[in-house]
Amino acid sequence: MSEKLIIQGGNPLQGKVKIPGAKNSALPLLASTLLTDKPVKLTNVPELKDVQTMLSMVRKLGKDITTNSNSLQITGPVTSNKAPVDLVRKMRASFLVLAPLVGRTGEAIVPLPGGCNIGTRPVDLHLEGLKKLGVKIKHEDGRIFAKTDGIIGNDVFLNYPSVGATEQLIMAAVVARGTTTIYNGAQEPEIRDLVSFLTSLGADINMNGSIIKVTGVNELGKTTYGVLPDRIAAGTYMIAGTATNGNVEVTDVDTSSLKPLSLKLKKAGITVKEVDNTIKVKRDQRPDNLEIITLPFPGFPTDLQAPITALLTLAKGKSVVKETVFDSRFGHVPELSKMGADISVTNSSTVFINGKKTLRGTEVEATDIRAGAALVIGGLAAKGETVVSGLGHLDRGYSKLVENLRTLGADVERVK
Ligand code: EPZ
């Protein structure tokens, strides 16, 4: 029997939330531990289903992992270069083991990632880039067969600053012979976190905006490293506080990684105060309407598109949200309409919203991690009871969500 969230809307969220490590950093970091046999200690690792999936993947490939709450000890050599199909199907990010595997063992067999409900998500940029670095790629019955006599440094231009492709190429380049320069690389904070993690292992990487220069090294060492805070989780709580007329403080965050959201909330008339590694969000008035365009970092993050769309259904006036990163990331739109939002999406990936004073609680279904977050935000702000199903999605990206929301004063419970 699937579980559901029952939310009685209308309580303003007030108080503090400690933000955990970033899912979208922990996953590539875990994949990159395959590049060294030496002991790696990772701290500030978030408790998420996706992290569990990646741990199973890395264990299956030979690593010995011991966990102690939010810390992991990972050590040992790679003993297999075949990634299990079920795990790659379950989570796209497990495709990131391709580069470390082929880089370390000269061979890798990795299934193509499963489709995701936020549009088609090819891996052509990953594969074209690896070919430029001397990896032979064969694609047979849904699996990638990669082979190399040794990764060779080269210049690689990415047609699009893909986060995954950039991570894949950095991991291949750190063990290459010679120097690789990636042009038009992604600049998300999670990329910088991967670069500093690999540097702490002894890699030679220089990241200058979208140009990432890597000089290969023969082997990598050991390290103890803390995963950077999850800017998307932090942004989600900031938006939830705003939507519920509340006063929320997120702590242990990297304020610079949240600039795009902080500036947009200020523009909507919300008080946003950054003090060291905390951000305080206080709503003094109904938010003004906004125009949002999602872009690669430092643009507005696509992962906060659904959450801020939920907020804008309650803003004053007309708002427009254009999603440019994924080709169909609107699973939350029909569900928000069910709650009474005046919202529609055109075929050019643009959402038009006429803000209303209230939403009304009803039954809604999460279709992906961030669409789920949007529906929770809608339910927290709505009048009446909202029942959210599809919690498997939320569990992939948000740890301790119900616990944190209840601490902030929300009336929410998780039932079978
Ligand atoms: C990462 O996905 C994140 N996931 C996503 O977060 C995030 O939305 C995305 O980056 C953009 O910021 C992880 O880090 C685990 P991309 P990724 O490659 O690497 C196209 C969440 O909710 N593309 O930058 O898959 C692709 O189809 C998740 O936490 C190609 O065309 O994102 C998409 O339209 C969702 N060819 C665009 O680029 C390729 O080879 C951006 O994808 C690769 C990507």
Side-chain angles (χ1 to χ4, degrees):
M1 181 56 189
S2 65
E3 296 182 283
K4 298 184 190 304
L5 288 188
I6 313 284
I7 305 172
Q8 306 302 332
N11 297 8
L13 299 188
Q14 324 231 324
K16 276 187 193 180
V17 183
K18 182 180 180 316
I19 298 302
K23 165 176 88 76
N24 292 348
S25 182
L27 297 176
L29 291 191
L30 283 169
S32 71
T33 59
L34 295 166
L35 289 165
T36 181
D37 299 351
K38 304 280 187 341
V40 169
K41 181 175 181 189
L42 273 185
T43 60
N44 202 32
V45 178
E47 291 155 47
L48 295 168
K49 258 169 67 180
D50 275 6
V51 169
Q52 291 310 316
T53 303
M54 188 60 93
L55 287 177
S56 323
M57 170 66 82
V58 168
R59 277 195 178 101
K60 284 223 167 61
L61 296 171
K63 284 291 184 180
D64 180 41
I65 302 177
T66 51
T67 59
N68 168 11
S69 85
N70 293 92
S71 293
L72 304 175
Q73 285 284 9
I74 306 164
T75 186
V78 170
T79 56
S80 158
N81 51 26
K82 277 185 74 172
V85 180
D86 60 318
L87 293 176
V88 180
R89 287 275 181 275
K90 204 166 153 189
M91 179 182 71
R92 174 182 168 83
S94 30
F95 192 67
L96 291 173
V97 301
L98 173 60
L101 279 184
V102 72
R104 290 281 289 152
T105 69
E107 203 170 332
I109 301 173
V110 182
L112 281 167
C116 191
N117 29 34
I118 50 175
T120 55
R121 296 175 72 186
V123 286
D124 53 316
L125 299 172
H126 298 235
L127 302 178
E128 293 314 309
L130 288 174
K131 281 182 197 162
K132 291 281 288 185
L133 301 183
V135 178
K136 290 188 185 36
I137 300 276
K138 237 176 48 185
H139 170 190
E140 232 168 74
D141 58 340
R143 291 192 295 175
I144 295 299
F145 293 78
K147 249 189 174 55
T148 183
D149 302 332
I151 309 264
I152 314 284
N154 201 346
D155 289 352
V156 184
F157 175 78
L158 285 173
N159 281 341
Y160 182 87
S162 149
V163 170
T166 304
E167 291 164 346
Q168 196 86 262
L169 296 178
I170 290 172
M171 290 190 282
V174 295
V175 289
R177 252 200 330 276
T179 296
T180 298
T181 304
I182 301 166
Y183 293 95
N184 195 29
Q187 305 178 59
E188 270 69 7
E190 293 76 29
I191 303 281
R192 285 203 297 276
D193 208 33
L194 176 64
V195 167
S196 52
F197 171 72
L198 291 170
T199 304
S200 78
L201 283 174
D204 177 354
I205 309 174
N206 177 297
M207 186 165 170
N208 177 9
S210 67
I211 299 177
I212 304 167
K213 191 171 178 179
V214 185
T215 302
V217 292
N218 288 332
E219 66 172 295
L220 294 168
K222 59 186 172 54
T223 189
T224 295
Y225 191 84
V227 177
L228 108 160
D230 194 321
R231 62 191 167 105
I232 305 302
T236 305
Y237 289 110
M238 287 163 66
I239 294 170
T242 305
T244 57
N245 215 356
N247 185 344
V248 167
E249 181 176 338
V250 289
T251 67
D252 295 57
V253 298
D254 163 13
T255 54
S256 65
S257 70
L258 277 151
K259 267 290 180 241
L261 176 65
S262 302
L263 293 172
K264 280 293 180 184
L265 290 178
K266 281 180 185 166
K267 188 157 170 29
I270 306 302
T271 305
V272 182
K273 282 204 176 60
E274 298 161 349
V275 182
D276 302 332
N277 61 0
T278 72
I279 301 179
K280 296 179 187 167
V281 171
K282 188 171 179 307
R283 167 170 151 169
D284 309 306
Q285 52 143 52
R286 189 174 165 208
D288 291 327
N289 58 327
L290 287 172
E291 182 176 325
I292 299 282
I293 301 179
T294 67
L295 287 167
F297 196 87
F300 191 90
T302 173
D303 291 347
L304 289 177
Q305 181 260 105
I308 204 158
T309 296
L311 171 67
L312 293 173
T313 66
L314 293 161
K316 283 184 264 186
K318 293 183 186 316
S319 294
V320 180
V321 178
K322 183 145 182 63
E323 170 61 60
T324 73
V325 175
F326 288 105
D327 56 19
S328 65
R329 192 169 198 175
F330 303 110
H332 51 294
V333 171
E335 301 302 300
L336 289 169
S337 305
K338 282 188 207 162
M339 300 180 81
D342 181 349
I343 184 171
S344 61
V345 54
T346 68
N347 51 16
S348 63
S349 295
T350 306
V351 179
F352 289 98
I353 303 162
N354 285 320
K356 294 176 77 171
K357 278 216 167 61
T358 59
L359 293 177
R360 22 167 230 286
T362 186
E363 301 211 354
V364 288
E365 165 113 33
T367 50
D368 68 77
I369 306 177
R370 311 303 173 184
L375 301 177
V376 170
I377 289 166
L380 291 167
K383 288 200 177 329
E385 179 176 279
T386 299
V387 180
V388 184
S389 55
L391 302 193
H393 294 292
L394 277 167
D395 295 341
R396 290 185 52 193
Y398 292 95
S399 55
K400 302 196 177 91
L401 180 66
V402 173
E403 192 179 320
N404 287 335
L405 290 176
R406 292 168 73 93
T407 306
L408 292 173
D411 181 346
V412 54
E413 57 176 335
R414 184 165 181 148
V415 296
K416 285 254 182 270

